[in-house]
Amino acid sequence: MALIVHKYGGTSMGSIERIQNVARRVAKWHAAGHKVVVVPSAMSGETNRLLGLAREISAQADPRELDMIAATGEQVSVGLLAIALKSIGTDAVSYAGWQVPVRTDRAYTKARILSIDDAKVRADLDARRVVIITGFQGIDDLGNITTLGRGGSDTSAVAVAAALGADECLIYTDVDGVYTTDPRVVPEARRLEKVTFEEMLEMASLGSKVLQIRSVEFAGKYKVKTRVLSSLTPPDLPLGIEASSGTLITFEEDENMEQAVISGIAFNRDEAKITVTKVPDRPGIAFQILGPVAEANIDVDMIIQNQSVDGMTDFSFTVHRNEYQRAMDVLNNKVKPAINAGDVIGDPKIAKVSVVGIGMRSHVGLASLMFRTLSEEGINIQMISTSEIKISVVIEDKYMELAVRALHKAFGLDQSGDVPAVA
Amino acid sequence: MALIVHKYGGTSMGSIERIQNVARRVAKWHAAGHKVVVVPSAMSGETNRLLGLAREISAQADPRELDMIAATGEQVSVGLLAIALKSIGTDAVSYAGWQVPVRTDRAYTKARILSIDDAKVRADLDARRVVIITGFQGIDDLGNITTLGRGGSDTSAVAVAAALGADECLIYTDVDGVYTTDPRVVPEARRLEKVTFEEMLEMASLGSKVLQIRSVEFAGKYKVKTRVLSSLTPPDLPLGIEASSGTLITFEEDENMEQAVISGIAFNRDEAKITVTKVPDRPGIAFQILGPVAEANIDVDMIIQNQSVDGMTDFSFTVHRNEYQRAMDVLNNKVKPAINAGDVIGDPKIAKVSVVGIGMRSHVGLASLMFRTLSEEGINIQMISTSEIKISVVIEDKYMELAVRALHKAFGLDQSGDVPAVA
């Protein structure tokens, strides 16, 4: 019998009926003899409602107080799920993060988990109780409630699984696994039975919304066997079928039986591109440009600096589209005069498309296949950035879907696809 | 400068605008140099909404889990109020009951406060912060969240005031004080500037809903100077006027400057009357009747047993109207056959009307004035019960308002009233 952690998102917990379905699913695993820990999110919409109340009062609300308010959403969820489990004869107990306790740093609204005490949870599991722990939150060394930021319940679940040495962490969600790309864009997209932790990390960081990126980091760091699977199947689906459904995130390359060179195509329209022109090419110039941007708490993603011509270069980078205007202001008002640069040119109408795959390590020619495919579709590449297992390009946003479909086919990811024509 | 505890009910916290008004009022007291602790309730309707979710799942929900869920309402309130105070420049910090901590017994959904740790609160007050503490809840020795039951925020506020040795506990509510009776029934009802703790206790226990009865007990036990006042006055009402408004609950009779014999007329329609007829008059018979009722968790209020005739007597008592049918079933099925009594006669259409006053201790003839007044209105008295400072009668419910108005006038409580014609 195994120790299993289940995580359910806000949609799965979105109504009393759905909570009762979650209870039936959890009870099925418990009845099969497994020790089960459940980490649910707040009911869908609840976190937004709570933070909306706070924002009505103040746009600059104290983060500690925001966490005090936001943490209540999950506390209601765990209580309701415990009641639902007990009402169908499965013993259960709920804990808020501070009761376990889940210890975090003091970074309110975006705290990081430091440690999880497993004594209480183990005692309950040994007494054959289902243990339900609030996602998204913990307690800092001052005794204040903290939250982990949006999507933090995924991280909570993986962290709990790591602390307990769970056999598997099942992330139940409204999709039935990780796909080669978004099936809404490419109908031929295939579900991956397995994906490596590193590929998942790139996919998550590139905007594939299946799992919060920090949860993937956690899974990798502590080697937590994590499975993404559907919460929309019937709760009484036979356990053997459910246990092997979805997508398993693995940690060893040889476990990756599909042996695909490329696992998926990730994409997003969340970014904007900014170019500072006529930058004097001297030591420290990157810091002089990006320092003030970082000070303004704006995250920078891709960064490109070309070979200089005549001691001048153009310096480009991307930021989240929500922070585009603020970044432009910082650059025009602070950076440009300070370094005596040329114009600052911005473009929010871009998309980032990436091919991701652990096989890149051992295969060459993938970049040229990518560039050739885009070229054949008449799509101009504006920026390129690569890592060991991904290649990202920035293109005009209106070509995004076209690019994704073409690349999905070219890399042989279609369900009917041929083996890709690479070495 | 004084240490003052403010308590605000759900209506006062019922919207963002109202929370902002509470913040302005609290800030006014803080700006005057006082140390201020605030105990707010959940936003109106919130506790019902939360418990409604739980009830949708199960009518017999685990009380520990109900407390886990219900306690979140106040946690949201304290966070919002802290944000509202900070947004107008008044430093503030919020605490859930478990953070203070407010220690209680393990009686989930109706816990009692055992102790309150004041160290953290005092440190914040010394740092000139307003401290906001969730009403209605605490933590037991197992680390579980407990709630105090409906109206528990009044008790929390008074208990916090007692623990801190506060100079005064101000209960802000939607009425502007304690009245001689309900102004909706008797327009001539007067607000009392002062009322003794014992009178308040009788009024509360007799159905006057201004303060939860346990909060009055707490105020009495720890001699907490408590004032009931309106939260509907403008938040910027001059502090001197606000501080002397409402009704002060006092602990020494000589403080009661009004020197009234009777302080008020309390009444309710919450009870039902039950009579077990032809009861053999022998030792232990009261226990044989009321034992099974108590076992069924039904509270009994007034109890009357008359002198027996021919070794038989009639035994009457009242129960809450919600428990009338259950009580009748217990009596007919268990008690009647066991003691070989006559018929069990029930009547839910009754009202209880009481005159309350500390002056009863030193005045005679009050009972006869009460009975004469009711007689002159043609109202038949069905049951009578007395304590040191109150006389209660049970009458047919349709006469309730008439009885209250007549007694209010007869005892000289009308605003234009004469001194009552008693010794």
Side-chain angles (χ1 to χ4, degrees):
Chain A
M1 295 300 104
L3 198 165
I4 306 284
V5 175
H6 284 200
K7 184 264 170 178
Y8 293 92
T11 311
S12 309
M13 297 291 292
S15 69
I16 294 303
E17 198 191 339
R18 289 183 183 179
I19 291 173
Q20 289 171 320
N21 276 340
V22 167
R24 286 169 60 201
R25 194 182 298 277
V26 169
K28 174 181 68 184
W29 284 78
H30 181 260
H34 297 299
K35 293 180 174 177
V36 187
V37 177
V38 186
V39 180
S41 298
M43 296 173 79
S44 56
E46 190 59 10
T47 307
N48 281 336
R49 183 185 75 83
L50 292 165
L51 293 176
L53 289 171
R55 252 191 304 267
E56 262 191 76
I57 298 175
S58 168
Q60 282 88 38
D62 184 310
R64 178 195 179 275
E65 301 299 341
L66 286 177
D67 282 358
M68 190 83 172
I69 294 165
T72 62
E74 283 74 19
Q75 191 172 320
V76 171
S77 281
V78 296
L80 292 175
L81 183 56
I83 290 169
L85 276 162
K86 288 192 151 197
S87 77
I88 56 172
T90 301
D91 198 12
V93 62
S94 75
Y95 293 114
W98 61 266
Q99 289 177 307
V100 173
V102 175
R103 296 193 186 282
T104 74
D105 60 20
R106 297 182 194 168
Y108 304 114
T109 75
K110 47 179 191 287
R112 283 177 176 267
I113 294 175
L114 302 176
S115 68
I116 297 178
D117 192 335
D118 63 349
K120 209 182 259 192
V121 178
R122 284 196 195 282
D124 284 313
L125 291 174
D126 288 342
R128 291 293 295 142
R129 275 181 213 113
V130 171
V131 178
I132 308 165
I133 302 174
T134 53
F136 178 62
Q137 64 197 264
I139 183 172
D140 69 11
D141 58 333
L142 303 172
N144 295 318
I145 292 176
T146 54
T147 71
L148 309 183
R150 282 308 166 104
S153 292
D154 288 346
T155 308
S156 299
V158 175
V160 164
L164 293 169
D167 295 281
E168 203 166 315
C169 179
L170 305 183
I171 310 278
Y172 287 88
T173 178
D174 49 4
V175 295
D176 66 350
V178 179
Y179 275 70
T180 51
T181 194
D182 189 335
R184 285 169 301 186
V185 171
V186 183
E188 293 80 11
R190 276 183 306 118
R191 179 171 61 77
L192 298 166
E193 282 191 23
K194 297 191 178 183
V195 64
T196 68
F197 146 70
E198 289 147 302
E199 288 169 327
M200 195 63 209
L201 203 56
E202 289 285 7
M203 305 271 252
S205 70
L206 294 171
S208 166
K209 304 270 171 23
V210 177
L211 275 182
Q212 205 222 8
I213 187 158
R214 276 168 54 200
S215 71
V216 182
E217 290 169 2
F218 233 101
K221 188 167 172 191
Y222 296 101
K223 298 268 184 289
V224 178
K225 216 168 145 188
T226 302
R227 184 181 293 276
V228 174
L229 68 174
S230 174
S231 67
L232 305 174
T233 55
D236 49 4
L237 186 73
L239 196 137
I241 295 174
E242 188 168 307
S244 60
S245 68
T247 299
L248 181 66
I249 303 173
T250 62
F251 299 95
E252 285 138 51
E253 285 184 45
D254 56 5
E255 271 191 40
N256 191 350
M257 321 232 297
E258 297 187 35
Q259 294 292 352
V261 175
I262 296 296
S263 288
I265 314 287
F267 57 88
N268 73 65
R269 279 192 175 93
D270 296 340
E271 297 183 29
K273 183 182 71 167
I274 297 176
T275 301
V276 185
T277 63
K278 300 208 175 69
V279 173
D281 187 13
R282 61 172 187 247
I285 198 73
F287 175 72
Q288 282 184 287
I289 294 173
L290 294 181
V293 175
E295 261 170 49
N297 246 320
I298 299 168
D299 267 342
V300 167
D301 180 28
M302 291 168 77
I303 303 172
I304 309 283
Q305 185 183 347
N306 254 346
Q307 178 69 35
S308 69
V309 177
D310 301 331
M312 301 291 262
T313 186
D314 296 336
F315 190 95
S316 299
F317 56 94
T318 63
V319 298
H320 196 281
R321 209 177 275 198
N322 291 342
E323 300 182 319
Y324 169 64
Q325 199 48 60
R326 272 204 314 131
M328 287 295 281
D329 292 346
V330 168
L331 291 164
N332 275 314
N333 302 333
K334 290 192 184 166
V335 175
K336 185 180 160 181
I339 65 171
N340 197 22
D343 285 342
V344 179
I345 302 164
D347 182 3
K349 292 193 166 181
I350 61 161
K352 186 166 72 170
V353 176
S354 311
V355 297
V356 177
I358 206 90
M360 281 197 190
R361 286 177 181 156
S362 48
H363 285 78
V364 292
L366 295 174
S368 63
L369 175 59
M370 182 178 194
F371 302 154
R372 190 179 78 206
T373 304
L374 294 175
S375 153
E376 281 171 3
E377 299 292 341
I379 301 170
N380 185 42
I381 299 172
Q382 302 179 6
M383 293 171 82
I384 301 171
S385 153
T386 61
S387 80
E388 211 182 345
I389 65 163
K390 75 129 209 272
I391 307 167
S392 298
V393 297
V394 166
I395 59 175
E396 196 179 343
D397 67 350
K398 71 177 177 185
Y399 293 121
M400 188 182 79
E401 285 82 2
L402 174 61
V404 171
R405 276 191 291 263
L407 291 168
H408 198 266
K409 188 151 192 286
F411 281 96
L413 295 170
D414 285 5
Q415 279 165 325
S416 57
D418 298 318
V419 176
V422 289
Chain B
M1 295 303 102
L3 198 165
I4 306 285
V5 175
H6 285 200
K7 184 263 171 179
Y8 294 91
T11 311
S12 309
M13 297 291 292
S15 68
I16 294 301
E17 197 191 337
R18 288 183 185 179
I19 290 172
Q20 287 171 321
N21 276 339
V22 167
R24 286 169 60 198
R25 195 183 296 278
V26 169
K28 174 180 69 185
W29 283 78
H30 181 260
H34 297 300
K35 292 180 174 177
V36 187
V37 177
V38 186
V39 179
S41 298
M43 295 175 79
S44 55
E46 191 58 10
T47 308
N48 281 337
R49 183 185 74 84
L50 292 166
L51 294 176
L53 288 172
R55 250 192 305 269
E56 261 191 76
I57 299 174
S58 168
Q60 281 89 39
D62 184 311
R64 179 196 178 276
E65 301 298 340
L66 285 177
D67 282 358
M68 190 82 172
I69 294 166
T72 62
E74 284 74 19
Q75 191 172 319
V76 172
S77 281
V78 296
L80 293 175
L81 184 54
I83 290 170
L85 276 162
K86 289 191 151 196
S87 77
I88 57 173
T90 301
D91 198 14
V93 61
S94 74
Y95 293 114
W98 63 267
Q99 288 178 309
V100 174
V102 176
R103 297 194 185 282
T104 74
D105 60 21
R106 298 181 195 169
Y108 305 115
T109 75
K110 47 178 192 288
R112 282 176 177 267
I113 294 174
L114 302 174
S115 70
I116 296 179
D117 191 335
D118 63 348
K120 208 182 263 192
V121 178
R122 283 195 196 282
D124 284 314
L125 291 174
D126 287 344
R128 289 295 294 144
R129 274 180 213 114
V130 172
V131 179
I132 309 165
I133 302 174
T134 53
F136 178 63
Q137 64 197 263
I139 182 172
D140 69 10
D141 59 334
L142 302 173
N144 295 319
I145 292 177
T146 55
T147 72
L148 310 182
R150 282 307 166 105
S153 291
D154 288 346
T155 307
S156 298
V158 175
V160 164
L164 293 170
D167 296 282
E168 204 166 316
C169 180
L170 305 183
I171 310 278
Y172 288 88
T173 177
D174 50 3
V175 297
D176 66 349
V178 179
Y179 275 71
T180 51
T181 196
D182 189 335
R184 285 168 300 188
V185 172
V186 184
E188 294 81 9
R190 276 184 307 117
R191 178 172 61 80
L192 297 165
E193 284 191 22
K194 296 191 179 183
V195 64
T196 69
F197 146 70
E198 289 148 300
E199 287 168 327
M200 195 64 210
L201 204 56
E202 288 284 8
M203 306 270 253
S205 69
L206 294 170
S208 167
K209 304 268 173 18
V210 178
L211 277 183
Q212 204 222 10
I213 189 159
R214 276 167 54 200
S215 72
V216 182
E217 289 169 4
F218 233 101
K221 188 167 170 191
Y222 295 101
K223 298 270 185 289
V224 179
K225 216 167 145 187
T226 302
R227 183 180 294 274
V228 174
L229 69 172
S230 174
S231 66
L232 305 175
T233 55
D236 49 4
L237 186 72
L239 194 139
I241 295 173
E242 188 169 306
S244 61
S245 67
T247 299
L248 181 67
I249 302 173
T250 62
F251 300 95
E252 285 138 50
E253 286 185 44
D254 57 5
E255 272 191 39
N256 189 347
M257 321 234 298
E258 297 186 35
Q259 294 291 351
V261 176
I262 296 296
S263 289
I265 313 286
F267 55 88
N268 74 64
R269 280 193 174 94
D270 297 339
E271 296 183 30
K273 183 182 70 167
I274 297 176
T275 301
V276 185
T277 62
K278 297 209 176 69
V279 172
D281 186 14
R282 60 170 188 248
I285 198 71
F287 174 73
Q288 283 184 286
I289 294 173
L290 295 182
V293 174
E295 261 169 50
N297 247 320
I298 299 168
D299 266 343
V300 167
D301 179 29
M302 293 169 76
I303 303 171
I304 309 282
Q305 184 183 349
N306 252 345
Q307 179 67 37
S308 70
V309 177
D310 301 332
M312 301 290 262
T313 185
D314 295 336
F315 189 95
S316 299
F317 56 94
T318 63
V319 297
H320 196 281
R321 208 176 275 197
N322 291 343
E323 301 183 318
Y324 169 65
Q325 199 49 57
R326 271 201 318 131
M328 287 296 282
D329 293 346
V330 167
L331 292 162
N332 275 314
N333 302 333
K334 291 194 181 164
V335 175
K336 187 180 160 182
I339 65 172
N340 198 21
D343 285 342
V344 179
I345 302 164
D347 182 3
K349 293 192 164 183
I350 61 162
K352 186 166 75 168
V353 176
S354 311
V355 297
V356 177
I358 206 88
M360 279 196 190
R361 286 180 179 153
S362 49
H363 285 78
V364 292
L366 295 175
S368 63
L369 174 58
M370 183 178 193
F371 303 152
R372 190 179 76 207
T373 305
L374 294 175
S375 155
E376 281 170 2
E377 299 292 340
I379 300 169
N380 186 40
I381 299 172
Q382 301 179 7
M383 292 171 82
I384 300 170
S385 154
T386 61
S387 80
E388 212 183 344
I389 65 163
K390 75 128 210 272
I391 308 166
S392 298
V393 297
V394 166
I395 59 176
E396 196 178 345
D397 66 351
K398 70 177 179 185
Y399 293 123
M400 189 181 78
E401 285 82 1
L402 174 62
V404 171
R405 278 191 289 264
L407 291 169
H408 198 266
K409 186 153 197 281
F411 281 96
L413 295 170
D414 285 3
Q415 278 166 326
S416 58
D418 298 318
V419 176
V422 290

